[in-house]
Amino acid sequence: MGTRVVEPGEFPFAAAFLEHNHIYGQCRGLVEAGAQLKWVYDPDAEKVAAFLRAFPGARPARSYGEILEDPAIRLVAAAAVPSERCALGILAMEAGKDYFTDKAPLTTLAQLKKARSAVRRTGRKYAVYYGERLHSECAVLAGQMVKSGAIGRVVQVLGLGPHRLGPVSSRPRWFFDRAKTGGILTDIGSHQIEQFLFYAGTEDAAIDMARTANRFHGDFPGIDDYGDVALTGANGALGYLRVDWLTPDGLSSWGDGRLVILGEKGFIELRKNLDLATGNGGNQLYIADSLGERHVNATGMTGYPYFAGLILDCLNRTENAMTQSHAFKAAELAVRAQMLAEEKKEERK
Amino acid sequence: MGTRVVEPGEFPFAAAFLEHNHIYGQCRGLVEAGAQLKWVYDPDAEKVAAFLRAFPGARPARSYGEILEDPAIRLVAAAAVPSERCALGILAMEAGKDYFTDKAPLTTLAQLKKARSAVRRTGRKYAVYYGERLHSECAVLAGQMVKSGAIGRVVQVLGLGPHRLGPVSSRPRWFFDRAKTGGILTDIGSHQIEQFLFYAGTEDAAIDMARTANRFHGDFPGIDDYGDVALTGANGALGYLRVDWLTPDGLSSWGDGRLVILGEKGFIELRKNLDLATGNGGNQLYIADSLGERHVNATGMTGYPYFAGLILDCLNRTENAMTQSHAFKAAELAVRAQMLAEEKKEERK
């Protein structure tokens, strides 16, 4: 899926810090767009071995430094422990590489300040894998449709991002540590906030409400299993998003991710990972407008143009795939929403 | 649909004030449960004539007073202009009748105070037709399932209640007058708040956020075409609801009403009026739990037990169909949400 925009060898990159499996999606997207995965590094040899089975062309590096010292490397893709993503990214940028991190790209406003400053200082990119939009064909299609005016001006974006927690043993220890993940809104909420900004067509927003709750995981005080946020965009578009770690065992996907974009003249609903009890699979787009109701299986329709766009942005120093300010603004709002929800929780105590 | 719980003549009632077509649903529900529609009254003879075509057994009354003076009448069903519903209900209760009004049952906190006081003084009922739950078989089925523990403890209730505005000429003048309707959250929002209280199993809630907007109907400053509310129930369950007057022309229903009940062990989604682009029709219930995903067409499964329950509650002076406090609390929260949204709007000016 996707267009190759570079010849073999034109865009060598490295994968480092394999703490989240998203690194596989990040690398697959880049490789499919023509990039060459040269190095892989993680302190855990088992993670590296598993990664090499998926990407046998990569070479294991002995250290992060070995990657940063290779002048051929254009970009470092990474999925570190969230609280460490910023510092590792700044190292990459200071070594002259662009950085492409899994979301959440950072976990505190202090990190954000450092990241923004490093981008200015180094001129490098701090790109973010907001995979729930970038790596979803129905989400890409919806973006094209909204841009073309299919539903008129956007009134509201409603995002549901439920996730399966799975067996506790399947999760790394940092997953249960608020200081490491940044919290549910910073982490999985950031996808939703990024989507709000994107589909609403706004580059800033006020947070009207944020809530988090740990309803059923009292043994793990470092997580919340529920969160939601309401936003008002600078252009007046409204947003509401809900995330949770409560996907039931019987669901055929890790989460029934939905997105509803309400417009002046119609609305679009995405059923991203499955179409409940239909067997249709994911990637389903539904639209109602002045002409009627339609259902589009978006699988195979769009590919994932973000990755080719990112490579070209790195080569040409442009911002067509995603602007730096958008990537950071989504992260900022996610962190601020988390902070607001935690303040409110404290007040209730 | 529904069980007849009284013999002909055991429960005579009257219909008065036909400002909203909901009066047809209110009367049909009662008649199907065995009640006898004896009188109809409206100042507009055309409305009465149309009503008599649907209910030819009713007699037109010359005045509201004629109904209230008939000692045989047990209950007055009414769908007056919303701001007048309370005063008309108090007249009915003072005449010894139970009152069964369309939602919103009232439009201000001052009216609510009078209504509560009249209920205490007269011992009569001020029942409310929250039709989006009471007159929806998938909603009834969902209530039975939640009560039986199908999804465990309820974490969040998410309600979407979009409505079609339709041609302006199809609406009465009061529809565009904020003082008469009480506003979008008081009016169509009250359905959603009632559903939140019901499915969450809580009898009170705090309002965390309320927003209204008039995005596309600037010619009608007395309406808002968008509203949303976030609530926290006294039992910790969370709620979010969104309503609008933006149903696109091509939708096969007046609104794609949805309800998602997120529980500890699964979730239920209702597609109340249609199942987008499937031709399934309305009344569709989807559930995911520990065993898998299922789809139930609820049409014909439950009937509408509320109406039989209301008749029995009136005869036996019980509160099995719905408690008075629940009916009033939903109305109170709807009015308070409207007030909060309008305060916030003023602050932004």
Side-chain angles (χ1 to χ4, degrees):
Chain A
M1 298 296 296
T3 316
R4 285 177 178 272
V5 289
V6 282
E7 297 301 317
E10 264 190 282
F11 196 84
F13 76 104
F17 304 103
L18 316 177
E19 283 290 339
H20 198 296
N21 282 338
H22 285 157
I23 191 67
Y24 288 85
Q26 296 169 251
C27 291
R28 207 165 46 242
L30 289 169
V31 166
E32 285 169 358
Q36 181 197 354
L37 180 52
K38 184 171 175 188
W39 292 109
V40 55
Y41 171 71
D42 192 274
D44 178 348
E46 274 186 42
K47 284 200 182 73
V48 172
F51 187 85
L52 286 170
R53 285 193 286 278
F55 296 98
R59 280 170 57 188
R62 276 160 301 182
S63 67
Y64 190 40
E66 189 170 7
I67 289 171
L68 300 188
E69 284 157 22
D70 179 351
I73 290 297
R74 312 284 312 222
L75 175 144
V76 176
V81 171
S83 59
E84 297 166 15
R85 288 174 185 173
C86 179
L88 294 167
I90 292 173
L91 287 176
M93 292 190 291
E94 283 175 340
K97 322 298 184 193
D98 290 315
Y99 183 55
F100 178 39
T101 177
D102 187 25
K103 71 70 232 170
L106 42 83
T107 56
T108 67
L109 294 181
Q111 289 173 17
L112 176 62
K113 197 173 168 190
K114 284 183 194 163
R116 281 189 165 130
S117 158
V119 164
R120 275 195 301 273
R121 191 170 67 245
T122 65
R124 298 297 96 190
K125 291 180 187 297
Y126 191 117
V128 184
Y129 179 63
Y130 291 113
E132 290 187 26
R133 180 172 68 81
L134 305 175
H135 234 152
S136 161
E137 289 194 285
C138 66
V140 173
L141 181 62
Q144 294 166 352
M145 292 171 79
V146 169
K147 201 174 172 190
S148 73
I151 57 170
R153 284 171 289 179
V154 171
V155 178
Q156 204 240 19
V157 178
L158 185 144
L160 304 181
H163 284 63
R164 177 171 285 135
L165 185 60
V168 166
S169 60
S170 72
R171 295 280 172 184
R173 252 201 284 182
W174 60 260
F175 179 86
F176 299 99
D177 182 346
R178 160 68 182 83
K180 298 233 162 93
T181 64
I184 189 169
L185 296 177
T186 298
D187 179 12
I188 56 179
S190 67
H191 281 298
Q192 302 294 329
I193 291 178
E194 193 278 331
Q195 289 178 119
F196 164 68
L197 294 174
F198 177 78
Y199 293 108
T202 188
E203 281 307 328
D204 201 357
I207 300 165
D208 296 322
M209 181 197 72
R211 307 185 288 198
T212 55
N214 182 341
R215 288 291 303 271
F216 305 120
H217 296 88
D219 291 350
F220 300 95
I223 64 166
D224 284 305
D225 49 24
Y226 178 94
D228 60 6
V229 181
L231 303 134
T232 300
N235 64 354
L238 299 161
Y240 173 74
L241 64 97
R242 186 185 91 184
V243 290
D244 66 67
W245 290 105
L246 298 170
T247 288
D249 294 342
L251 198 81
S252 61
S253 155
W254 53 265
D256 187 4
R258 303 278 186 106
L259 189 85
V260 182
I261 311 166
L262 175 65
E264 181 182 5
K265 296 170 183 169
F267 62 89
I268 290 170
E269 176 182 356
L270 304 182
R271 303 180 188 165
K272 290 187 161 189
N273 309 321
L274 81 161
D275 194 352
L276 206 51
T278 63
N280 285 344
N283 256 326
Q284 309 298 321
L285 182 150
Y286 291 81
I287 179 167
D289 59 17
S290 61
L291 299 175
E293 304 164 11
R294 274 150 291 160
H295 169 206
V296 180
N297 181 339
T299 308
M301 282 189 73
T302 64
Y304 309 109
Y306 172 76
F307 299 93
L310 175 60
I311 291 171
L312 293 175
D313 280 349
C314 291
L315 290 173
N316 306 328
R317 312 317 293 167
T318 50
E319 292 208 313
N320 297 316
M322 185 185 297
T323 66
Q324 186 64 67
S325 66
H326 175 89
F328 278 151
K329 183 55 76 174
E332 176 188 340
L333 290 169
V335 170
R336 288 192 190 279
Q338 182 76 35
M339 292 166 69
L340 177 62
E342 291 177 2
E343 266 171 44
K344 294 280 174 189
K345 213 188 246 184
E346 273 305 307
E347 282 171 22
R348 284 197 303 273
K349 272 184 188 165
Chain B
M1 299 296 295
T3 316
R4 285 176 178 273
V5 290
V6 282
E7 295 302 316
E10 262 189 284
F11 195 84
F13 75 105
F17 304 102
L18 317 177
E19 284 289 339
H20 198 295
N21 281 340
H22 285 158
I23 191 69
Y24 288 84
Q26 295 168 253
C27 291
R28 207 163 49 242
L30 289 168
V31 167
E32 285 169 357
Q36 182 196 354
L37 180 53
K38 186 172 175 188
W39 291 109
V40 56
Y41 171 70
D42 192 273
D44 177 350
E46 273 185 45
K47 283 201 182 72
V48 172
F51 187 85
L52 286 169
R53 285 193 287 277
F55 296 99
R59 281 170 57 189
R62 277 159 301 181
S63 67
Y64 190 40
E66 190 172 4
I67 288 171
L68 300 188
E69 283 157 22
D70 179 351
I73 290 296
R74 310 288 309 226
L75 174 144
V76 176
V81 171
S83 58
E84 298 166 15
R85 287 174 185 172
C86 178
L88 294 166
I90 292 172
L91 287 176
M93 291 190 291
E94 283 174 341
K97 322 299 185 195
D98 291 314
Y99 183 54
F100 178 39
T101 178
D102 186 26
K103 71 73 232 171
L106 44 84
T107 56
T108 66
L109 294 180
Q111 290 174 16
L112 177 63
K113 197 172 169 190
K114 286 182 192 163
R116 280 188 166 133
S117 158
V119 164
R120 275 194 301 273
R121 190 169 67 245
T122 65
R124 298 297 97 188
K125 291 180 188 296
Y126 192 117
V128 184
Y129 180 62
Y130 291 112
E132 290 187 25
R133 181 171 67 82
L134 304 173
H135 234 152
S136 162
E137 289 193 284
C138 66
V140 173
L141 182 61
Q144 294 167 351
M145 291 171 79
V146 169
K147 201 173 170 187
S148 74
I151 55 169
R153 284 172 288 179
V154 170
V155 178
Q156 203 239 20
V157 178
L158 184 144
L160 304 182
H163 284 63
R164 177 172 284 134
L165 185 60
V168 165
S169 60
S170 71
R171 296 279 172 184
R173 252 199 287 181
W174 59 259
F175 179 85
F176 299 99
D177 183 344
R178 160 70 181 83
K180 299 234 162 93
T181 64
I184 190 170
L185 296 178
T186 297
D187 179 11
I188 55 179
S190 67
H191 282 297
Q192 301 295 329
I193 291 177
E194 193 278 330
Q195 289 178 121
F196 165 68
L197 294 173
F198 178 77
Y199 293 108
T202 187
E203 282 307 327
D204 201 358
I207 300 166
D208 296 320
M209 181 198 70
R211 305 185 290 196
T212 55
N214 183 341
R215 286 293 304 271
F216 307 119
H217 296 87
D219 291 350
F220 299 97
I223 64 165
D224 283 305
D225 50 23
Y226 178 95
D228 62 5
V229 181
L231 302 134
T232 300
N235 65 354
L238 299 161
Y240 174 76
L241 64 96
R242 187 187 88 183
V243 290
D244 66 68
W245 290 105
L246 298 171
T247 289
D249 294 343
L251 199 82
S252 61
S253 154
W254 52 267
D256 187 4
R258 304 276 187 106
L259 189 86
V260 182
I261 311 165
L262 175 65
E264 178 183 6
K265 295 170 184 171
F267 62 90
I268 290 170
E269 176 182 357
L270 304 181
R271 303 179 189 166
K272 289 185 161 189
N273 309 322
L274 80 159
D275 194 350
L276 206 51
T278 62
N280 285 343
N283 257 327
Q284 308 298 320
L285 182 149
Y286 290 81
I287 179 167
D289 60 14
S290 61
L291 299 175
E293 303 164 12
R294 272 150 293 161
H295 168 206
V296 180
N297 181 339
T299 308
M301 282 189 73
T302 64
Y304 309 109
Y306 172 76
F307 299 94
L310 174 60
I311 291 170
L312 293 175
D313 280 349
C314 290
L315 291 172
N316 305 329
R317 310 318 293 167
T318 50
E319 293 207 311
N320 297 316
M322 187 187 294
T323 66
Q324 186 64 67
S325 66
H326 174 89
F328 278 151
K329 183 54 75 174
E332 176 188 341
L333 291 169
V335 171
R336 288 191 189 280
Q338 182 76 35
M339 294 167 67
L340 177 61
E342 290 176 2
E343 265 171 47
K344 294 281 174 189
K345 215 190 248 183
E346 274 305 308
E347 282 172 22
R348 283 196 305 271
K349 274 185 186 165

